[in-house]
Amino acid sequence: MSGGNWLERHALGLAAALTAGALVVMLYFPIGVVFANAAFVEGVPTLEPVRDVLTDPFYVGSLAAVFENPLAIGSHIGALADWIGSSSISPTVVTPLPGIDLPLPWLSIQTPGFRGGLFGFTAYQATLSTVASVALALPAAAILANYEFRGRRTIRSLTILPFVLPGIMVAVGFYAMFGQAGTLNSLLGLVGLGPVPFMQFSPLVIVILAHAFYNAPLIARITVAAWESIDTRTVDTARSLGASRRRAFRDVVVPQLLPAVLTGALLTFVFTFMTFPIVLALGGLELATVEVWIYDRMRQLEYAEAATLALLETVLSLALTYVYLRYESAQTGLARVDARTAREPLFPDVRTALSPRRLAIGCYGVIALVVFVGPMASLVVGSVTDASGFTLGHFSFLLERQLDGAAFQTRPFPAIRNSLLFGVGTLALAVPMGVVVSVLTARAGWSGTIVETLAMVPLAVSGVVVGIGLLQGLVFGIELPYGWQFEVTGPVAIVVAHAVAAYPFVTRNVSPLLSNLDPTVVESARALGASRIRALLDIELPLIASGIVAGAAFAFAISIGEFSSTVILAGGTDAYTMPVALERYLGRRSGPAIAMGTILLFVTASSFVVIDRVGGRFER
């Protein structure tokens, strides 16, 4: 009895210790393994790998000379200033983009004497992707915040999709739409045009559109929340003082929206700087970002080079994440009281529907349908059609591959089975870890902030880095004293990687609900003799059950769609998942890849229905 009482009194502390130990083994140790490859050569501490990368023009372009000779930095800055002053933008002349020759039909930037290298191109495409995402998001935010129409709540709930849809599936959806036999070319063929080689003509544009598909909903979600918190009385005051409607919007509304827009833009830049599956599937090494090149170096067994690139990328992403967190904290407390007037109907009558503003909204609606609905619709349509029309041949191929395929070939049923099993395993790890972190950080003051910051590292570290670290550490094995060796199998490592990626989403769903609970409820239970763990289990967790279920649905969906770490850990094994199988099919047969993408879409959509039903919230 006394042993049971001791265990109950210390249960929360033991759970915290187990969670901390799991984070060390599952997160910090693998990251440390990767970084150690960049800091040690044959066991000797050195920065030579870092220096080799920083002085290689392939990686850092013209900045290589700066790192090679830091004393000459003044002259390099002057040359850079001259380049900025002399650069020009031409709508017709096509010239090489930073570091890689990537023609654009509508834009080129002349860059005399300066190249950005691999890091420069990664930042370049991230900037273009951010601009495209903001351009697509702001009109959507304005419509959702100011107009009432049928389906508005559904569309707003769909802005959560970037956290649910697998990136590799989005890439295949864009391939199904813009490919040689894609939906767009099929529509052009109906009017006697095409086919147009979109994928070959401007792959960077397709990649940017795919990034906008992924990130514009995130920016719109953040901006709509800010827009709805604006006190409309400030606008009415400006109008009463003589300001025009446009002037009041510019001087009153825009300054209050700008922090939200900048927050979303910064998050988008971080996400697209670390982009992997979309670029790998749609651009390959031709459009290689740092993340894609890390993966390629790892496949070529160039571990030191891959680790160095991972180290530099992580330092940059952590710096950007720190800037985001500082900026977000600076905006805390600036939200206005919700004093909005009723939203006006989007199309109240025929006459209003033909006004310039409504026509502009209609044009944006067409663009949104093409960018957001088109790829997913093309994925479904492409799975049951080919050049001759309706067909089930793509699914038949998957069935034949399952029944007659060799053991070394990628078969669909093991991929589906593995994805579901790994999803369940992820739930078993991620949900308890996320709940424990939430309990430790909710209402814990500065100590809770420190714990939460350390626990949220997966949001700033790429899955490729975690995958490489797990492969070189737990999978290859760790030497222990007395001749012992600790190692895990590939499937276990995959579940660990998925849990690392998923548990922060559990924490983000649970923590706000836990913080908003009335503390007197717990205090009353404690006063009646309940232990801290008993109060948590019997009172707090049942009250926040919706957040736990939503976090579990997020964790499952993230596991189902996780690609970055899985493609590394599943290489050469039969532990491949649906996203990995999809990528393998795409390199050989686009039809079966699209069919597998449709299956993945169905499984992911089921998870999204759970999230939407329980009212899950994910606020960054």
Side-chain angles (χ1 to χ4, degrees), residues 273-510:
F273 187 87
M274 296 193 299
T275 185
F276 177 62
I278 289 176
V279 174
L280 181 67
L282 296 178
L285 292 180
E286 180 187 356
L287 295 181
T289 58
V290 174
E291 195 90 337
V292 174
W293 198 254
I294 292 172
Y295 172 66
D296 179 75
R297 294 295 86 195
M298 192 278 303
R299 292 183 62 186
Q300 301 300 325
L301 304 182
E302 299 288 346
Y303 293 124
E305 190 175 357
T308 304
L309 292 173
L311 171 63
L312 295 174
E313 182 198 45
T314 302
V315 169
L316 289 174
S317 65
L318 286 174
L320 291 171
T321 304
Y322 174 77
V323 172
Y324 156 69
L325 293 174
R326 286 296 301 270
Y327 183 78
E328 184 185 47
S329 64
Q331 305 306 316
T332 302
L334 298 182
R336 303 305 199 263
V337 177
D338 189 0
R340 294 190 53 82
T341 57
R343 298 180 185 89
E344 59 178 294
L346 186 58
F347 296 111
D349 51 56
V350 176
R351 181 178 179 182
T352 305
L354 297 177
S355 66
R357 181 181 300 177
R358 263 47 176 210
L359 290 176
I361 293 175
C363 291
Y364 173 78
V366 173
I367 296 173
L369 283 174
V370 172
V371 175
F372 296 116
V373 179
M376 295 300 98
S378 298
L379 187 69
V380 177
V381 172
S383 67
V384 293
T385 58
D386 59 12
S388 60
F390 178 81
T391 180
L392 294 177
H394 304 322
F395 290 99
S396 298
F397 173 87
L398 295 180
L399 184 60
E400 292 172 4
R401 172 60 61 88
Q402 173 61 36
L403 297 176
D404 302 326
F408 63 87
Q409 292 179 313
T410 302
R411 293 176 293 171
F413 287 178
I416 298 172
R417 178 200 64 206
N418 290 340
S419 291
L420 295 176
L421 289 178
F422 294 161
V424 173
T426 298
L427 290 180
L429 282 177
V431 173
M433 289 173 59
V435 171
V436 170
V437 171
S438 298
V439 172
L440 294 176
T441 57
R443 301 188 298 270
W446 64 269
S447 61
T449 302
I450 294 176
V451 172
E452 184 177 24
T453 301
L454 293 174
M456 293 299 108
V457 167
L459 297 178
V461 177
S462 73
V464 170
V465 174
V466 175
I468 294 175
L470 288 171
L471 180 67
Q472 293 184 299
L474 301 183
V475 177
F476 287 175
I478 305 169
E479 295 292 339
L480 298 176
Y482 306 107
W484 289 65
Q485 183 171 354
F486 176 76
E487 60 180 309
V488 301
T489 62
V492 175
I494 291 174
V495 171
V496 167
H498 290 190
V500 165
Y503 83 83
F505 290 82
V506 178
T507 298
R508 286 293 198 175
N509 275 276
V510 172

Side-chain angles (χ1 to χ4, degrees), residues 169-186 199 282 374-383 586 590 594:
M169 187 186 74
V170 172
V172 173
F174 273 80
Y175 182 90
M177 184 171 183
F178 292 100
Q180 191 76 7
T183 305
L184 195 54
N185 273 321
S186 298
M199 301 297 298
L282 296 178
M376 295 300 98
S378 298
L379 187 69
V380 177
V381 172
S383 67
L586 186 62
S590 60
I594 294 172

Side-chain angles (χ1 to χ4, degrees), residues 33-41 46-50 303-304 307-309 311:
V33 168
V34 174
F35 292 170
N37 285 329
F40 293 87
V41 175
T46 179
L47 293 179
E48 194 64 26
V50 176
Y303 293 124
T308 304
L309 292 173
L311 171 63

Side-chain angles (χ1 to χ4, degrees), residues 142-314:
I143 295 170
L144 291 172
N146 295 287
Y147 295 98
E148 189 63 57
F149 54 93
R150 186 182 299 274
R152 175 187 168 275
R153 291 184 178 180
T154 300
I155 293 176
R156 179 171 178 176
S157 69
L158 289 176
T159 58
I160 208 170
L161 284 178
F163 302 107
V164 180
L165 290 183
I168 189 68
M169 187 186 74
V170 172
V172 173
F174 273 80
Y175 182 90
M177 184 171 183
F178 292 100
Q180 191 76 7
T183 305
L184 195 54
N185 273 321
S186 298
L187 295 176
L188 291 175
L190 295 178
V191 295
L193 301 175
V196 178
F198 294 104
M199 301 297 298
Q200 293 77 26
F201 187 58
S202 54
L204 181 59
V205 175
I206 306 301
V207 169
I208 291 171
L209 285 177
H211 285 160
F213 170 96
Y214 225 77
N215 294 289
L218 168 65
I219 299 175
R221 186 178 184 86
I222 296 174
T223 306
V224 167
W227 213 317
E228 291 178 341
S229 69
I230 293 176
D231 190 343
T232 54
R233 291 171 296 188
T234 59
V235 180
D236 295 338
T237 301
R239 295 296 305 276
S240 66
L241 294 175
S244 63
R245 183 172 183 175
R246 180 177 301 179
R247 180 69 179 272
F249 176 79
R250 186 187 69 188
D251 293 346
V252 178
V253 177
V254 170
Q256 298 181 71
L257 294 180
L258 191 58
V261 176
L262 292 178
T263 297
L266 185 55
L267 279 174
T268 298
F269 185 87
V270 173
F271 293 158
T272 52
F273 187 87
M274 296 193 299
T275 185
F276 177 62
I278 289 176
V279 174
L280 181 67
L282 296 178
L285 292 180
E286 180 187 356
L287 295 181
T289 58
V290 174
E291 195 90 337
V292 174
W293 198 254
I294 292 172
Y295 172 66
D296 179 75
R297 294 295 86 195
M298 192 278 303
R299 292 183 62 186
Q300 301 300 325
L301 304 182
E302 299 288 346
Y303 293 124
E305 190 175 357
T308 304
L309 292 173
L311 171 63
L312 295 174
E313 182 198 45
T314 302

Side-chain angles (χ1 to χ4, degrees), residues 59-130:
Y59 291 120
V60 296
S62 298
L63 291 178
V66 176
F67 293 112
E68 183 74 35
N69 184 13
L71 296 178
I73 189 171
S75 62
H76 294 304
I77 293 176
L80 180 60
D82 293 339
W83 166 74
I84 293 174
S86 61
S87 296
S88 60
I89 298 178
S90 167
T92 56
V93 180
V94 176
T95 59
L97 297 174
I100 300 178
D101 185 10
L102 298 172
L104 290 177
W106 42 268
L107 172 68
S108 68
I109 302 179
Q110 299 176 5
T111 57
F114 183 83
R115 290 294 182 269
L118 183 67
F119 278 92
F121 173 73
T122 303
Y124 172 78
Q125 65 81 26
T127 301
L128 292 182
S129 298
T130 301

